[in-house]
Amino acid sequence: MINSIEGQPKKTAFITGGGGAIAEEIAIQLDKAGYQLLLSDINLEKMSAIQSKLKGKPEYFVCDQTNPKEIQTLLSTIQEKYPNIDVLINNAGYTKEGPFISQSKTDIERQMWINLMSPIHLIHGILPLMLKRGKGSIVSIVSIGGIIALADSSIYSAGKFGLRGFLTALYEELRHTGIKVSGIYPAAVDTPMLLHEALNGGTALNWLNKVQSPKKVANAVLLGIKKGTLEIYVPYSDGLVSRLVAVFPWLIGKLSPLLKIIGERSKEKWLRGKGIQIPKRN
C-alpha cells in the first residue's frame, strides 16, 4: 500500500484505459493514497462513472489511442498542466480474437497502436518530465500474452511481446536515473474484455488457471510504483510456468489438445458462475 504524507503536495498519476475495471481499482487505491488522478479513455461516460467511488476529483481526457494526433494533443496538455507528474500507468489494452488471416487492416492497426505504439509514445512524451526531476514511476500492464504466444491471438501477442522487450531495454537505460520501470503480467483477469473473449471465440487457454480479480492486478501496479520491479506476475506461479514455456515454445503445441479441454471446462464453470449457460457440445 502506498501512503500519502500529510502536508506534502499531492502526487499525480496518469492512467490510460481509465474506463476499465482494472483502471477503476488502481484509481480507488491511488485516490486513497492522496494522488491527483488523470484518466484517459475513448469513452468519457465510462471514465466518469468512477467518480462516486473517489474522494478526489480526477481530470478526464478523452483520447483515441489509435490516433497519433489525439495522443500528441493529450501529451501536450499534460506537459503544460502537470510537468511534475509522478506516475504513468499504461493500462489500456485491446484484443480482437480470431486467426491472423481473418484480421482486417483496421484490426491489426488498432491492436498494435493500443497495445504497443501508444504506450511507447506516451512514455516518450512524459519521461523527459520525470528525468528533469530525477524521479517517477512508469508501470505498464503487459499480459502473460507478452511471454506466451497463442493461436488466434497473433497480433495481440506481437504487440505485447514488443512491449515487454521495450520495457526491458528501457529499464536498463534508466537504471541509474531515479525512474522506476515495471511491467505487470497478469493471466486472465475478470473484466468485460475477458467475458467478450469467452463469448466470441477467445482461446480456452485463458482459463487454465484461476481467473484473477482486477484488485489483484491493481495491487501489483502499486507494488510496481513503489519498488520498480521489472516484471511482476499475477499470480506469481504463472510467471514461472510462462517463462518455462517461453524457453520451449513448442511445448504449447504439444500440450494444446489436452490444455484446451481443461480450459474449456474451466471457462464453462466460470461463465456459469456469472449466470451464463453455454450450450452443451455434441
Side-chain angles (χ1 to χ4, degrees):
M1 181 67 182
I2 297 175
N3 297 311
S4 59
I5 301 175
E6 197 70 31
Q8 289 193 0
K10 275 192 172 184
K11 290 186 175 183
T12 304
F14 172 42
I15 309 170
T16 70
I22 295 174
E24 179 176 303
E25 288 292 341
I26 298 169
I28 289 170
Q29 294 199 38
L30 290 179
D31 177 70
K32 288 178 180 176
Y35 277 74
Q36 167 64 48
L37 299 177
L38 316 177
L39 303 180
S40 76
D41 198 283
I42 198 170
N43 188 314
L44 177 61
E45 185 178 355
K46 286 177 67 178
M47 275 193 291
S48 56
I50 194 179
Q51 179 61 68
S52 62
K53 300 179 182 180
L54 304 176
K55 294 178 182 178
K57 182 174 176 56
E59 182 163 1
Y60 302 110
F61 300 93
V62 176
C63 179
D64 178 356
Q65 287 189 224
T66 68
N67 188 321
K69 290 184 179 179
E70 290 194 24
I71 293 171
Q72 188 53 53
T73 298
L74 171 61
L75 282 170
S76 296
T77 302
I78 291 175
Q79 289 162 353
E80 180 181 350
K81 294 184 66 176
Y82 298 98
N84 294 330
I85 188 168
D86 298 280
V87 177
L88 166 61
I89 301 169
N90 286 307
N91 167 68
Y94 175 74
T95 185
K96 176 69 162 57
E97 308 83 6
F100 171 69
I101 198 66
S102 72
Q103 304 281 325
S104 68
K105 181 180 177 182
T106 299
D107 294 332
I108 293 169
E109 292 185 352
R110 181 172 179 78
Q111 290 179 83
M112 292 303 291
W113 264 100
I114 294 176
N115 297 327
L116 177 61
M117 295 303 297
S118 64
I120 290 175
H121 279 277
L122 290 168
I123 292 171
H124 191 260
I126 291 175
L127 178 57
L129 303 177
M130 294 180 174
L131 286 170
K132 189 174 181 179
R133 299 171 67 215
K135 60 180 179 178
S137 295
I138 297 168
V139 181
S140 298
I141 297 179
V142 188
S143 166
I144 289 296
I147 302 175
I148 302 176
L150 300 174
D152 297 333
S153 63
S154 55
I155 306 304
Y156 179 79
S157 294
K160 294 299 188 176
F161 267 61
L163 184 57
R164 185 190 187 206
F166 169 73
L167 293 174
T168 302
L170 187 66
Y171 177 89
E172 293 300 326
E173 288 182 25
L174 300 178
R175 182 182 287 275
H176 302 295
T177 64
I179 313 301
K180 301 170 185 173
V181 177
S182 289
I184 311 300
Y185 293 81
V189 184
D190 195 350
T191 63
M193 189 167 84
L194 183 66
L195 180 59
H196 177 82
E197 288 188 65
L199 299 176
N200 292 275
T203 176
L205 300 183
N206 281 327
W207 285 267
L208 283 176
N209 294 314
K210 182 180 179 181
V211 174
Q212 301 296 302
S213 68
K215 187 172 183 178
K216 287 189 176 180
V217 180
N219 289 342
V221 169
L222 266 70
L223 182 63
I225 293 171
K226 183 178 181 180
K227 294 192 173 182
T229 306
L230 175 58
E231 296 188 347
I232 301 173
Y233 299 91
V234 186
Y236 178 75
S237 58
D238 276 15
L240 297 175
V241 174
S242 63
R243 281 174 285 180
L244 173 64
V245 173
V247 175
F248 304 103
W250 48 266
L251 277 175
I252 284 290
K254 293 286 186 181
L255 299 173
S256 186
L258 174 60
L259 295 178
K260 284 182 178 179
I261 292 172
I262 296 171
E264 282 290 347
R265 289 173 179 171
S266 297
K267 180 178 75 172
E268 290 173 9
K269 182 179 179 181
W270 181 75
L271 286 170
R272 286 197 300 272
K274 293 183 173 296
I276 301 172
Q277 194 69 37
I278 299 296
K280 290 185 177 180
R281 298 182 296 272
N282 294 326

